[in-house]
Amino acid sequence: MSAPTAYGHEIRTDLGTIRGALAEASTTPFWLDDPDRPAARGGVSGLVSTDLLVVGGGFAGLWTALIAKERDPKRRVVLVEGNRIGWAASGRNGGFCEASLTHGPENGELHFADEMPVLNRLADENFAGIRAAIERYGIDAEWEETGVLTVATEPHQIDWLREAAEHSANETFLEGESLRERGNSPLYRAGMFGTDGVAYVNPAKLAWGLAAAAERLGVEISEHTRVTRLRTDGNVMVAQTAHGEIRASRVALATNVFASLLPELRLFTVPIYDYVLMTEPLSTDQLAAIGWTERHGITDSSREFHYYRKSSDNRILFGGYDAVYHRGRRVKAAQDQRPETFERLADHFYSTFPQLSGIRFAHKWGGAIDMSTQLVAFHGSARGGRVAYSAGYTGLGVGATRFGADVMLDLLEGRDTERTRLKMSRRLPIPIPPEPLAYPLVQMMRRAVAKSDRNGGKDGILLKLAGLFGVGFDS
């Protein structure tokens, strides 16, 4: 029988306590629950002509529009969003901005081994570009480069972290008192602390700031303007909306988790739902009790992992672990709430920090991530080079979407660059089958991941076989 793990699917905290702590939590994502949220913009009606049409008002679309005007100020750029700027994944994620373009070195070696030196350099350049743009445009994104503590909650993870720290000049292995000074939990067996390549942002403020900066450069942004169809008319692409059409010389598709306007791409991503809790603000004494007096974030080393960080007013955001695929492959507002996952997260929070057993949760929410089988984004062009796309970010979109924007613009401009020569820009990942096959397949992979955690991190036959075919899966 497999040994019990620090975290599990069995609820260990009194269920009445958990439900009481969640009872008054708002279902609006914390970042979007802001009285200073910008007013909604109007929509497009009638006939519009433009040089570049960007479809999607999340990070990928906003970076594309902004960089397009930086490259060519005379180019007319129109961005349309079917709902509100930053309302989907870009406004409801944890705010971890990672430099990595490959979902970590191991996944990078699996898919892009011969390109890793280039990818690592491009990742660093992209990360620096995000920082520079925030400074240049005066975006109040609450950017913090305060490091990350990766913890071992199971015995087999201790050697993983020790070995990783030994092979890195920028990370330190922690045990005992040095670990408790970064985070004091009865579940922590060891830790690794590093400061390179990770920052924290208020993701909604970043999205709103990028939109405002783009508009100052002349980008025309419309909200509540959903494109329902994309067709070719001679040398022009025509985007159909409910109230008109947009004719564009070039189109950048930044719709990510939502069904692509290019039907041939719809099997290359699947919507996986991630869920998050946000506590009420913590006092200085409460933070001291858990040894978390600095501003770094924390994540654990399991395949089914948690991520947590502080807000500017010292709330703790606690998310991850469950990676939920809802049957039908659709993105629905009703799926943003999942009581059983919120209860599991609350249980895991109290198990991690029993010192905070009386803390209540102020917000609980979820949202869909566009997962690809290679666990990183893919980019490309279609319709004779008039349409570019970028999708499949699998939870790394806060930072990597800026890189995807550059790739899309390179492709639309016909440029031959290091970015366009990458495998992730020249080939598609392995597709995910349609329903009714998708649901049982994803559930089977989830069970295999959970079993790996219970089995000392050793992958079973299914995960090993999937790896041979370049397919990955974690939470």
Side-chain angles (χ1 to χ4, degrees):
M1 180 178 292
S2 300
T5 60
Y7 300 109
H9 290 268
E10 298 291 330
I11 300 293
R12 301 168 187 175
T13 309
D14 176 69
L15 199 54
T17 299
I18 288 175
R19 289 175 177 170
L22 292 166
E24 298 180 9
S26 170
T27 58
T28 301
F30 171 77
W31 313 114
L32 298 175
D33 192 12
D34 188 331
D36 295 324
R37 184 178 186 179
R41 297 164 175 84
V44 170
S45 61
L47 176 63
V48 174
S49 295
T50 185
D51 299 314
L52 172 65
L53 170 65
V54 180
V55 183
F59 290 143
L62 293 167
W63 281 117
T64 302
L66 180 68
I67 296 171
K69 289 297 280 187
E70 289 178 335
R71 291 189 182 190
D72 182 1
K74 295 181 180 179
R75 171 165 38 188
R76 185 179 184 187
V77 179
V78 172
L79 182 150
V80 296
E81 163 57 45
N83 194 299
R84 298 286 306 280
I85 292 296
W87 75 280
S90 297
R92 59 184 69 203
N93 61 80
F96 282 69
C97 181
E98 299 184 29
S100 175
L101 299 174
T102 61
H103 213 110
E106 290 185 4
N107 192 62
E109 290 291 339
L110 175 63
H111 298 289
F112 317 109
D114 58 334
E115 295 179 333
M116 286 304 290
V118 174
L119 280 165
N120 288 334
R121 175 172 52 78
L122 291 175
D124 290 341
E125 292 173 1
N126 181 67
F127 188 77
I130 296 171
R131 181 198 301 118
I134 288 172
E135 294 175 354
R136 182 166 62 253
Y137 294 109
I139 298 173
D140 178 22
E142 300 173 7
W143 175 272
E144 297 180 281
E145 293 183 59
T146 47
V148 62
L149 173 66
T150 305
V151 296
T153 57
E154 305 295 341
H156 65 273
Q157 298 166 1
I158 299 173
D159 287 340
W160 291 355
L161 295 185
R162 182 182 286 111
E163 183 178 355
E166 288 174 352
H167 288 84
S168 172
N170 302 308
E171 293 174 308
T172 304
F173 181 74
L174 304 174
E175 285 184 302
E177 187 60 30
S178 63
L179 172 61
R180 288 189 288 273
E181 289 174 353
R182 296 281 184 188
N184 184 10
S185 167
L187 299 185
Y188 295 172
R189 300 171 181 269
M192 180 177 69
F193 184 76
T195 57
D196 282 3
V198 62
Y200 305 93
V201 296
N202 178 317
K205 285 187 175 182
L206 176 57
W208 300 334
L210 290 173
E215 286 180 316
R216 290 198 297 273
L217 296 186
V219 175
E220 302 163 51
I221 298 178
S222 295
E223 295 179 301
H224 297 297
T225 302
R226 188 168 70 91
V227 176
T228 57
R229 184 185 173 211
L230 188 65
R231 60 183 174 85
T232 304
D233 184 5
N235 292 323
V236 174
M237 299 305 301
V238 181
Q240 190 70 46
T241 73
H243 302 288
E245 62 181 34
I246 305 167
R247 300 177 65 84
S249 299
R250 296 290 185 268
V251 177
L253 296 181
T255 52
N256 294 297
V257 74
F258 298 97
S260 178
L261 290 167
L262 299 175
E264 64 268 29
L265 295 181
R266 292 177 184 170
L267 292 182
F268 293 98
T269 62
V270 67
I272 297 292
Y273 273 74
D274 189 29
Y275 295 91
V276 176
L277 298 178
M278 183 71 94
T279 71
E280 59 192 5
L282 272 64
S283 68
T284 300
D285 288 344
Q286 287 171 320
L287 291 172
I290 60 173
W292 196 2
T293 58
E294 299 183 21
R295 296 288 305 171
H296 57 272
I298 303 177
T299 183
D300 63 61
S301 304
S302 298
R303 295 285 293 270
E304 290 185 302
F305 66 93
H306 304 83
Y307 55 86
Y308 32 122
R309 46 87 45 112
K310 296 178 185 175
S311 65
S312 62
D313 59 350
N314 284 334
R315 302 167 188 265
I316 293 178
L317 178 148
F318 192 83
Y321 193 80
D322 275 356
V324 181
Y325 173 69
H326 294 276
R327 191 189 302 271
R329 210 183 190 123
R330 298 185 64 185
V331 178
K332 299 178 181 178
Q335 294 169 173
D336 293 345
Q337 294 293 304
R338 193 168 191 263
E340 57 266 48
T341 292
F342 295 140
E343 291 172 358
R344 183 172 298 123
L345 283 173
D347 175 55
H348 291 183
F349 178 87
Y350 293 136
S351 297
T352 304
F353 296 128
Q355 307 95 311
L356 302 179
S357 59
I359 287 295
R360 299 175 70 85
F361 299 98
H363 294 76
K364 56 184 180 183
W365 73 92
I369 295 169
D370 54 323
M371 193 193 82
S372 74
T373 54
Q374 63 186 18
L375 299 184
V376 294
F378 56 90
H379 326 283
S381 62
R383 307 300 186 266
R386 290 186 289 272
V387 178
Y389 55 84
S390 182
Y393 286 92
T394 318
L396 285 184
V398 178
T401 43
R402 182 184 177 277
F403 181 81
D406 266 325
V407 176
M408 285 195 288
L409 290 170
D410 286 349
L411 292 169
L412 292 174
E413 294 165 7
R415 297 189 185 191
D416 177 21
T417 67
E418 280 187 309
R419 291 183 289 255
T420 63
R421 290 193 292 271
L422 293 169
K423 290 178 182 176
M424 63 175 63
S425 305
R426 293 186 291 105
R427 71 181 190 192
L428 291 166
I430 293 174
I432 301 166
E435 294 289 12
L437 298 177
Y439 185 80
L441 178 62
V442 172
Q443 301 315 307
M444 187 165 54
M445 294 295 288
R446 285 194 66 199
R447 288 192 292 270
V449 166
K451 184 177 180 181
S452 174
D453 281 337
R454 294 194 305 270
N455 194 32
K458 298 176 182 178
D459 289 347
I461 294 175
L462 179 60
L463 290 179
K464 289 179 179 178
L465 184 62
L468 291 176
F469 285 93
V471 176
F473 194 94
D474 64 22
S475 69

